C-alpha cells in the first residue's frame, strides 16, 4: 500500500487550526502574510537588481581611482603660468586632510556616517515617496536623502555614465545610486569613502574637491585653513551657488554658522572655538587668473602644442605637469617692452580721435558715475590709465582739464604734442601740434595716464600751469589704444629654448599670435641669407665688389617691369659685399640673388627651416616672401650656433599625473632643471648635435657681417645695449612691416612691428631701425642685465684669417690707405685678396658686375 504524505510538524502547527482557538488562527495568518511579504520584497529586490544593476559603475580601489584633475603649466623657474581643466580638481591624500575639516563635512552632511551601512533608508523612502507624488502631480522634481556614501556613489556614476544620466531626476537612477553605495560600503573603509568624497565634491566656482576649493576661495592649501574657513567649505555642497561667499556672503555666513552649530552639538568643537569661528569675517580672495595675467600668448601656444601632441582629453582631464622653457623674468621684460615701445611708435602715427563725445548733462553724469564706480573710492594711481572727459580748455590752448569720476586732472600741451591728425606721409617731428584744441574739444572722452610733472617739463612746471593745476589731483598725459601690432620671439640658441614670446599687444582683445601665426614680409632682414648663400656656394667673400647701379627686370610672361631702388633712391657704384649689407643696399642684394639663382635660393631658404615658399622672382632678395617671426628667429639662431640647425622648444618637459616623463627637451646646463634631467640631457646631447646647414666658416662670416650692421650700419642704435651684438634691420615697401633681428652670444631676438591689415603704411621714415629696433633694445637691456656677453670670435678650428682691406675696392689696404678707408675683414684661408690697392684704387677679378639679369 502506498504511504500517505503528511505535512511537516511546523506546517501542521501553522495550518491545523484548533476549532476552539481563533487567536491561533490570527497568529497563523500573520505568519503567512509575513512570509508572503518577505517573499515579495525579496522578489522585488531581485527584480530591481536585475533591472537596474547592469552597467553599474565598478567600485574603484583607492589606489586605482584617478578622477579628472587639472593640468598645470609652469615657467622654467616653477612659476605657475596656466591651468587647463574640465573639472578643476587637485587630489589630496586622506592623511593630509585635517581632522577638523573631515568633522565639518560629517557634522553638516551626514552625522551618522560612521554608523550606517551606506544608505539612509528612511530618507531614501521619503525621497522616493515625494518623487512619486511629484510625478503624479506633474512637477517632475526629485527629492534628496543622500548620505556621504551615496554622494560619493553619485560622483562615481557621473564619471562613468556622464552628468546627464547620473543626475537624472528618476527613481531608477536613485536606486542605482543606492546599489553602488551598498557596494562601496562593502568594499571600502569609511576613511577610503571619505577620501573619494572629499576629492570629488563640487564646491562651486569650478572647485572640485577640497584642495581646489581652498585655493579658489582662500588661496591656501587645506592644511592652512582656519576652523571658520573649513566650516564655510563644509556648508557649500548643498547649494554652492546659493551659499557662495563671493555672491552671497550673508547666506554663506549663516550656512557656516549652521555647520559650526552641528559640530558643537556633535561634540567636535567647544563653545569658545565655535564663538570665535562664528565671529570671523567672510574673507575670500578668488584664485588668480594666471593664464591671462602672466603670459597668455606663450601659455596658449604651449596649450596648442600639448593638444596637438597628446590630445585634448589629456590636457583637460589627465593632470599633466608641463614645464615650459619660458624664463619668467625675460617674459615679463618682453611684455613691458611691448607695452612701452609700441605705444611710442603708435603715437608717432598720429591721433585717431576720442573714444566718443558725451553731450548733455544726463550723458555726462552717467559717464562720471560709471567711472566713479570703477574707481571705487580709490585715489588716482601714478602710471595708471583712466577714462576721462574734457571739461575745460585754457591757457591760450596750452592745457585741458580732464574729469575722471569725481576727480580732475590737468593735461598740459606737453603731454599731447604727438596728437596730430593721421598722415603717414608727414614726418613726425615736423608735425607736432602747438595747441590742445588741435586735437581735443569739450566733452571728448579720452584715455589719459597719471604721471609726475617732471616727465612733462624739463624743470618745474611754469607758473601758469601751477595755477591751472590748483584743485586738480593729477598731472596727465594723453594716450590711445594702439592700432599697431607686434611680435617678439626670443631664443636661447644653445639650450634651444624659447625663453620669451609675445604675440601681440593685447591677448584679451585679439588672440591671434603674430609670432607663430602671422606671415609677414621680412624686408632687408632676409638679406643675410642671400649673402650667406653667395659665400657658401659661390665662394664670395666679404670683400667681393658689387656694382650699385640701376637694374631693370622685364617679366615678358606677365608683361611687367621691375626696377628696384635703394632706400635713399641713390646709387654709389662699386661697393664691397660688407658695405652693401652694412648699409642695407638693395641693388647689390638683388644682383647677389641673381648670381646664386632662384632655384638654389629656394633650396637654401628651405634648409634654414622656413616653411613658407620663396617667391620665384628676384624680388625675394629684398624679402618679398613672407616668413613667420618664430622661423626667422630660428634661422638667425643658425648663424649664432655656427651653422647648426636645431628645433627650439617652448616645452622643456611634460610629466603625467604619476610623475612619469612623457617628453623631455631639457638642456644639460639648465640651472632650473633637476639634476637627473640634466644628466639625461647631457647624455642625449652627445647624439643630438643638430643639422649642419652651412659651414662654420660661412656662419661666422655672416655673423661678422651682421656685427658690422650694428657697429656702423642701419642697426647702429643697438650699440646702446653696450654688449657685442649682431643684427639686421628690415623694412618693406611703403613701410608696412618693420623688423629687427639680432643676437648676442646667448640670446637671439626677433621683433616685428606693423598693422594686421595693411590698410595704410607706417609713418614716413618708420624703418626697422626706428620702429622695431627700440623695442628689441628695451627688451634685450633688461634680459641681459647682469649677464656679460663676449665678443664674437671665429671658432678655434675654423679655417679663417683676418686681413686689412681697402673699403673702396676690396683689395689689400696699403700702408698709404687712410684709416677711415680701411677695415678688418675675415676670409676663408686662400680666398683673401692677393693684390694690394694702388693709388688709383683699381679693381681685382673678384669684382661682380651685372647690369641686366
Amino acid at each position: 500500500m502506498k504511504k500517505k504524505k503528511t505535512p511537516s510538524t511546523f506546517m501542521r502547527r501553522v495550518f491545523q487550526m484548533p476549532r476552539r482557538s481563533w487567536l491561533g488562527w490570527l497568529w497563523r495568518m500573520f505568519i503567512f502574510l509575513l512570509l508572503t511579504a518577505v517573499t515579495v520584497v525579496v522578489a522585488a529586490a531581485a527584480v530591481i537588481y536585475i533591472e537596474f544593476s547592469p552597467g553599474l559603475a565598478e567600485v574603484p580601489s583607492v589606489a586605482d581611482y584617478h578622477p579628472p584633475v587639472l593640468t598645470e603649466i609652469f615657467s622654467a623657474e616653477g612659476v605657475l603660468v596656466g591651468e587647463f581643466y574640465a573639472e578643476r580638481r587637485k587630489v589630496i591624500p586622506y592623511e593630509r586632510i585635517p581632522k577638523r575639516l573631515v568633522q565639518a563635512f560629517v557634522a553638516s552632511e551626514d552625522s551618522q556616517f560612521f554608523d550606517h551601512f551606506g544608505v539612509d533608508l528612511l530618507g531614501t523612502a521619503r525621497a522616493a515617496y515625494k518623487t512619486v507624488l511629484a510625478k503624479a502631480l506633474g512637477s517632475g522634481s526629485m527629492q534628496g536623502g543622500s548620505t556621504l556614501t551615496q554622494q560619493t556613489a553619485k560622483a562615481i556614476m557621473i564619471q562613468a555614465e556622464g552628468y546627464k544620466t547620473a543626475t537624472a531626476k528618476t527613481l531608477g537612477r536613485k536606486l542605482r545610486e543606492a546599489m553602488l553605495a551598498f557596494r562601496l560600503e562593502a568594499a571600502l573603509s569609511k576613511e577610503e569613502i571619505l577620501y573619494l568624497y572629499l576629492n570629488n565634491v563640487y564646491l562651486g566656482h569650478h572647485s572640485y574637491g577640497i584642495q581646489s576649493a581652498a585655493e579658489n576661495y582662500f588661496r591656501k592649501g587645506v592644511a592652512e585653513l582656519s576652523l571658520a574657513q573649513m566650516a564655510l567649505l563644509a556648508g557649500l555642497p548643498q547649494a554652492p551657488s546659493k551659499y557662495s561667499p563671493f555672491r552671497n556672503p550673508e547666506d554663506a555666513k549663516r550656512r557656516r554658522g549652521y555647520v559650526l552649530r552641528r559640530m558643537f552639538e556633535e561634540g567636535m568643537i567647544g563653545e569658545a572655538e565655535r564663538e570665535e569661528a562664528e565671529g570671523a569675517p567672510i574673507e575670500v580672495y578668488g584664485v588668480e587668473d594666471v593664464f591671462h595675467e602672466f603670459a597668455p600668448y606663450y601659455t596658449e601656444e604651449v596649450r596648442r602644442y600639448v593638444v596637438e601632441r597628446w590630445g585634448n582629453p589629456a590636457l583637460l582631464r589627465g593632470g599633466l605637469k608641463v614645464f615650459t622653457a619660458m624664463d619668467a623674468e625675460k617674459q615679463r621684460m618682453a611684455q613691458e617692452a611691448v607695452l612701452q615701445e609700441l605705444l611710442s611708435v603708435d603715437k608717432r602715427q598720429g591721433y585717431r580721435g576720442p573714444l566718443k563725445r558725451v553731450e548733455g548733462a544726463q550723458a555726462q553724469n552717467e559717464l562720471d558715475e560709471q567711472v566713479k564706480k570703477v574707481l571705487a573710492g580709490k585715489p588716482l594711481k601714478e602710471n595708471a590709465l583712466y577714462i576721462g572727459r574734457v571739461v575745460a580748455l585754457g591757457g591760450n590752448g596750452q592745457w585741458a582739464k580732464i574729469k575722471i569720476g569725481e576727480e580732475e586732472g590737468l593735461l598740459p600741451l606737453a603731454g599731447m604734442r604727438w596728437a596730430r591728425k593721421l598722415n603717414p606721409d608727414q614726418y613726425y617731428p615736423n608735425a607736432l601740434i602747438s595747441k590742445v584744441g588741435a586735437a581735443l574739444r569739450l566733452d571728448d572722452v579720452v584715455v589719459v595716464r597719471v604721471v609726475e610733472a617732471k616727465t612733462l617739463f624739463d624743470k618745474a612746471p611754469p607758473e601758469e600751469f601751477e595755477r591751472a593745476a590748483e584743485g586738480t589731483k593729477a598731472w596727465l598725459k594723453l594716450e590711445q589704444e594702439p592700432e599697431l601690432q607686434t611680435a617678439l620671439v626670443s631664443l636661447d640658441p644653445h639650450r634651444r629654448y624659447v625663453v620669451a614670446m609675445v604675440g601681440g599687444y593685447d591677448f584679451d582683445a585679439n588672440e591671434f599670435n603674430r609670432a607663430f601665426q602671422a606671415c609677414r614680409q621680412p624686408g632687408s632682414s632676409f638679406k643675410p641669407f642671400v649673402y650667406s648663400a653667395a659665400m657658401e656656394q659661390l665662394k664670395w667673400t666679404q670683400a667681393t665688389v658689387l656694382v650699385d647701379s640701376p637694374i631693370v627686370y622685364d617679366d615678358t610672361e606677365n608683361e611687367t617691369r621691375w626696377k628696384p631702388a635703394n632706400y635713399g633712391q641713390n646709387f654709389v657704384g662699386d661697393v664691397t659685399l660688407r658695405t652693401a649689407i652694412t648699409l642695407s643696399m638693395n641693388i647689390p642684394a638683388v644682383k647677389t640673388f641673381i648670381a646664386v639663382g632662384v632655384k638654389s635660393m629656394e633650396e637654401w631658404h628651405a634648409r634654414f627651416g622656413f616653411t613658407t615658399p620663396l617667391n620665384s622672382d628676384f624680388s625675394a632678395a629684398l624679402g618679398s616672401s613672407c616668413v613667420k617671426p618664430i622661423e626667422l628667429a630660428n634661422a638667425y639662431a643658425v648663424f649664432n650656433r655656427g651653422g647648426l640647425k636645431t628645433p627650439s622648444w617652448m616645452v622643456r618637459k611634460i610629466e603625467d599625473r604619476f610623475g612619469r616623463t612623457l617628453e623631455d627637451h631639457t638642456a644639460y646646463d639648465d640651472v632650473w632643471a633637476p639634476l637627473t634631467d640634466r644628466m639625461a640631457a647631457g647624455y642625449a646631447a652627445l647624439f643630438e648635435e643638430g643639422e649642419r646647414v652651412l659651414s662654420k666658416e660661412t656662419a661666422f662670416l655672416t655673423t661678422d657681417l651682421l656685427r658690422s650692421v650694428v657697429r656702423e650700419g642701419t642697426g647702429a642704435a643697438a650699440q646702446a645695449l653696450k654688449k657685442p651684438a649682431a643684427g639686421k634691420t628690415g623694412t618693406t615697401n611703403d613701410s608696412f612691416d618693420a623688423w629687427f633681428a639680432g643676437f648676442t652670444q646667448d640670446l637671439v631676438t626677433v621683433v616685428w612691428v606693423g598693422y594686421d591689415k595693411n590698410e595704410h603704411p607706417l609713418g614716413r621714415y618708420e624703418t626697422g631701425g626706428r620702429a622695431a629696433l627700440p623695442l628689441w633694445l628695451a627688451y634685450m637691456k633688461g634680459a641681459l642685465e647682469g649677464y656679460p656677453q663676449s665678443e664674437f670670435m671665429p671658432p678655434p678650428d675654423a679655417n679663417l684669417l683676418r686681413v686689412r682691406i681697402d673699403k673702396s675696392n676690396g683689395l689689400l689696404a696699403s700702408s698709404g690707405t687712410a684709416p677711415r678707408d680701411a677695415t678688418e675683414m675675415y676670409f676663408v684661408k686662400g680666398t683673401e685678396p692677393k693684390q694690394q690697392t694702388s693709388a688709383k684704387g683699381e679693381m681685382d677679378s673678384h669684382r661682380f658686375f651685372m647690369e641686366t639679369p
Side-chain angles (χ1 to χ4, degrees):
M1 177 184 284
K2 190 175 179 181
K3 189 174 179 182
K4 225 178 186 182
K5 289 186 180 179
T6 59
S8 68
T9 303
F10 174 78
M11 294 303 291
R12 284 202 308 272
R13 288 177 179 175
V14 171
F15 292 104
Q16 289 179 2
M17 179 181 67
R19 295 178 181 176
R20 299 177 183 177
S21 178
W22 62 273
L23 288 175
W25 181 86
L26 287 177
W27 167 251
R28 294 181 183 89
M29 185 56 67
F30 171 74
I31 296 298
F32 174 76
L33 293 175
L34 180 61
L35 289 173
T36 303
V38 170
T39 303
V40 170
V41 169
V42 171
V47 170
I48 290 172
Y49 182 82
I50 293 171
E51 176 67 24
F52 295 106
S53 66
L56 194 61
E58 294 292 330
V59 174
S61 69
V62 171
D64 296 330
Y65 184 57
H66 308 303
V69 290
L70 82 167
T71 287
E72 295 174 300
I73 299 180
F74 300 93
S75 72
E77 305 89 335
V79 177
L80 181 67
V81 298
E83 296 179 337
F84 296 97
Y85 50 83
E87 300 174 1
R88 190 183 189 280
R89 177 187 287 104
K90 291 184 178 180
V91 175
I92 182 169
Y94 185 79
E95 296 75 23
R96 288 175 49 196
I97 302 174
K99 180 181 177 182
R100 281 285 174 83
L101 185 56
V102 175
Q103 291 175 330
F105 276 89
V106 170
S108 60
E109 291 291 306
D110 186 1
S111 60
Q112 301 302 312
F113 173 73
F114 287 99
D115 299 319
H116 62 61
F117 50 84
V119 176
D120 179 357
L121 292 178
L122 184 60
T124 301
R126 181 172 59 250
Y129 167 75
K130 290 184 177 180
T131 299
V132 172
L133 180 63
K135 285 197 173 183
L137 296 174
S139 67
S141 63
M142 176 70 190
Q143 298 299 314
S146 295
T147 64
L148 288 179
T149 310
Q150 287 176 275
Q151 293 181 48
T152 305
K154 183 177 180 179
I156 294 171
M157 291 171 62
I158 288 174
Q159 292 176 30
E161 303 174 5
Y163 183 83
K164 184 176 181 181
T165 301
T167 59
K169 308 296 185 179
T170 64
L171 182 59
R173 194 275 302 168
K174 196 70 178 175
L175 290 170
R176 287 168 60 81
E177 178 187 292
M179 290 180 196
L180 186 54
F182 281 129
R183 292 183 181 182
L184 286 171
E185 289 281 348
L188 304 176
S189 68
K190 291 290 186 178
E191 289 74 15
E192 289 174 327
I193 292 172
L194 281 171
Y195 163 78
L196 299 179
Y197 171 77
L198 292 173
N199 280 301
N200 275 286
V201 61
Y202 179 64
L203 298 173
H205 296 280
H206 305 291
S207 303
Y208 288 83
I210 52 174
Q211 177 66 19
S212 178
E215 294 177 0
N216 273 6
Y217 292 109
F218 308 115
R219 297 184 184 176
K220 293 181 177 181
V222 292
E224 304 170 276
L225 296 176
S226 66
L227 175 60
Q229 292 168 338
M230 292 177 185
L232 189 146
L233 295 185
L236 292 172
Q238 288 294 318
S241 296
K242 179 181 179 181
Y243 299 126
S244 166
F246 292 112
R247 298 173 184 167
N248 307 305
E250 289 304 315
D251 288 340
K253 188 172 185 178
R254 282 192 293 270
R255 181 64 179 173
R256 183 186 69 180
Y258 164 77
V259 175
L260 291 168
R261 176 172 62 80
R262 289 292 301 123
M263 293 181 74
F264 174 72
E265 291 171 350
E266 294 293 328
M268 298 172 178
I269 59 173
E271 181 64 33
E273 289 178 297
R274 174 188 175 186
E275 290 178 357
E276 181 183 357
E278 283 186 337
I282 299 291
E283 293 180 338
V284 288
Y285 307 99
V287 68
E288 295 179 278
D289 185 4
V290 292
F291 175 88
H292 287 90
E293 293 175 3
F294 199 91
Y297 280 110
Y298 197 114
T299 306
E300 170 61 13
E301 196 61 33
V302 169
R303 183 200 68 81
R304 289 162 57 91
Y305 172 83
V306 174
V307 169
E308 182 179 349
R309 182 78 172 80
W310 298 102
N312 208 43
L315 177 81
L316 298 180
R317 304 170 68 87
L320 304 178
K321 289 194 182 303
V322 182
F323 301 94
T324 71
M326 178 204 305
D327 183 310
E329 195 63 16
K330 289 183 175 62
Q331 180 66 29
R332 181 184 64 79
M333 292 170 182
Q335 291 173 177
E336 287 182 357
V338 164
L339 291 174
Q340 174 186 334
E341 297 300 327
L342 199 64
L343 285 171
S344 298
V345 182
D346 187 76
K347 285 180 181 178
R348 294 203 296 265
Q349 311 310 303
Y351 182 52
R352 291 187 293 277
L355 298 177
K356 63 178 180 178
R357 287 179 54 76
V358 285
E359 297 177 338
Q362 181 177 349
Q364 293 166 3
N365 290 335
E366 287 177 356
L367 174 68
D368 293 342
E369 285 301 314
Q370 288 175 356
V371 176
K372 178 181 173 183
K373 187 176 180 181
V374 171
L375 293 177
K378 297 178 183 177
L380 300 180
K381 185 179 178 182
E382 188 177 312
N383 205 38
L385 296 173
Y386 297 95
I387 292 177
R389 176 169 59 91
V390 180
V391 294
L393 301 173
N396 193 26
Q398 296 303 295
W399 53 259
K401 282 190 177 179
I402 310 295
K403 188 173 184 182
I404 306 171
E406 292 184 326
E407 310 291 350
E408 276 192 2
L410 190 73
L411 170 59
L413 177 64
M416 56 173 292
R417 291 200 68 199
W418 61 270
R420 63 180 176 86
K421 292 182 180 180
L422 291 173
N423 186 347
D425 294 326
Q426 268 187 315
Y427 183 43
Y428 167 75
N430 298 336
L432 299 177
I433 64 173
S434 57
K435 290 183 180 294
V436 296
L440 300 182
R441 293 187 294 165
L442 290 176
D443 300 325
D444 279 355
V445 179
V446 295
V447 179
V448 291
R449 185 187 300 275
V450 175
V451 297
E452 292 184 89
K454 64 182 181 181
T455 65
L456 299 168
F457 306 98
D458 294 335
K459 300 178 182 178
E463 185 177 344
E464 61 268 26
F465 287 106
E466 292 280 19
R467 287 197 302 269
E470 291 178 2
T472 66
K473 293 294 181 69
W475 293 92
L476 305 174
K477 273 186 177 180
L478 182 66
E479 300 286 357
Q480 69 180 355
E481 186 80 7
E483 188 180 78
L484 273 174
Q485 284 295 345
T486 187
L488 182 151
V489 182
S490 187
L491 312 178
D492 181 329
H494 309 298
R495 291 179 179 148
R496 305 180 302 168
Y497 289 170
V498 180
V499 295
M501 184 270 286
V502 180
Y505 175 73
D506 185 355
F507 180 85
D508 291 329
N510 190 333
E511 297 182 11
F512 181 66
N513 188 340
R514 294 150 191 88
F516 275 71
Q517 296 172 284
C519 195
R520 308 291 304 202
Q521 292 181 346
S524 294
S525 63
F526 185 74
K527 289 175 182 175
F529 304 102
V530 177
Y531 289 120
S532 65
M535 290 189 292
E536 180 87 350
Q537 299 177 22
L538 306 180
K539 306 307 176 185
W540 286 15
T541 71
Q542 294 185 357
T544 296
V545 174
L546 299 155
V547 182
D548 180 37
S549 59
I551 183 174
V552 177
Y553 173 63
D554 289 315
D555 185 346
T556 55
E557 182 178 342
N558 297 312
E559 297 183 353
T560 59
R561 169 168 286 190
W562 181 56
K563 187 176 181 181
N566 292 320
Y567 180 76
Q569 301 296 321
N570 61 328
F571 303 96
V572 299
D574 294 335
V575 293
T576 63
L577 185 152
R578 184 187 183 94
T579 299
I581 190 171
T582 299
L583 302 181
S584 198
M585 301 169 74
N586 288 341
I587 304 303
V590 173
K591 292 182 176 181
T592 303
F593 185 96
I594 294 171
V596 174
V598 173
K599 291 300 181 184
S600 293
M601 277 306 306
E602 287 177 349
E603 295 171 1
W604 192 249
H605 175 264
R607 286 181 67 181
F608 276 85
F610 292 109
T611 60
T612 51
L614 187 72
N615 291 347
S616 296
D617 58 65
F618 300 153
S619 70
L622 307 182
S624 65
S625 306
C626 75
V627 299
K628 296 177 181 178
I630 180 63
E631 293 182 354
L632 189 64
N634 278 322
Y636 268 73
V638 171
F639 299 133
N640 180 286
R641 281 193 291 263
L644 293 176
K645 181 179 73 174
T646 65
S648 294
W649 300 103
M650 299 188 72
V651 171
R652 178 183 70 79
K653 184 180 181 181
I654 300 179
E655 294 178 349
D656 68 11
R657 66 194 301 163
F658 309 111
R660 298 175 302 201
T661 300
L662 299 181
E663 62 177 286
D664 192 351
H665 310 290
T666 302
Y668 70 90
D669 58 346
D670 184 344
V671 296
W672 295 108
L675 179 60
T676 53
D677 291 353
R678 290 157 57 189
M679 291 176 63
Y683 179 74
L686 299 174
F687 309 97
E688 296 178 356
E689 182 185 15
E691 177 189 351
R692 179 154 295 283
V693 173
L694 70 168
S695 69
K696 61 184 68 176
E697 288 81 8
T698 302
F700 176 77
L701 290 173
T702 307
T703 297
D704 189 56
L705 291 173
L706 297 175
R707 185 80 179 93
S708 73
V709 172
V710 171
R711 280 196 178 113
E712 51 191 313
T714 57
Q719 293 183 72
L721 182 62
K722 301 188 183 306
K723 290 179 171 65
K728 185 69 188 75
T729 54
T731 311
T732 60
N733 285 346
D734 298 320
S735 297
F736 280 112
D737 300 273
W739 297 78
F740 188 74
F743 54 89
T744 63
Q745 288 281 11
D746 297 334
L747 214 54
V748 177
T749 302
V750 166
V751 170
W752 165 83
V753 173
Y755 294 102
D756 280 338
K757 298 179 180 178
N758 293 336
E759 296 173 349
H760 56 84
L762 294 169
R764 193 176 182 187
Y765 305 116
E766 292 290 359
T767 62
R770 181 172 171 80
L773 198 158
L775 200 163
W776 180 94
L777 184 61
Y779 163 70
M780 293 289 279
K781 278 184 174 179
L784 292 174
E785 185 176 3
Y787 294 92
Q789 300 293 291
S790 60
E791 185 58 82
F792 296 97
M793 300 300 293
D797 57 344
N799 187 30
L800 295 170
L801 77 163
R802 197 176 185 192
V803 179
R804 188 167 178 265
I805 298 295
D806 187 321
K807 291 191 290 186
S808 66
N809 55 29
L811 300 179
L812 296 174
S814 67
S815 57
T817 305
R820 68 174 182 274
D821 296 329
T823 187
E824 299 283 341
M825 295 187 191
Y826 284 96
F827 296 86
V828 176
K829 291 178 182 178
T831 65
E832 70 276 12
K834 303 299 188 295
Q835 183 180 349
Q836 193 174 73
T837 186
S838 67
K840 298 179 180 179
E842 59 194 33
M843 298 292 103
D844 199 357
S845 58
H846 65 292
R847 183 173 187 262
F848 178 76
F849 177 82
M850 176 173 284
E851 293 296 345
T852 58

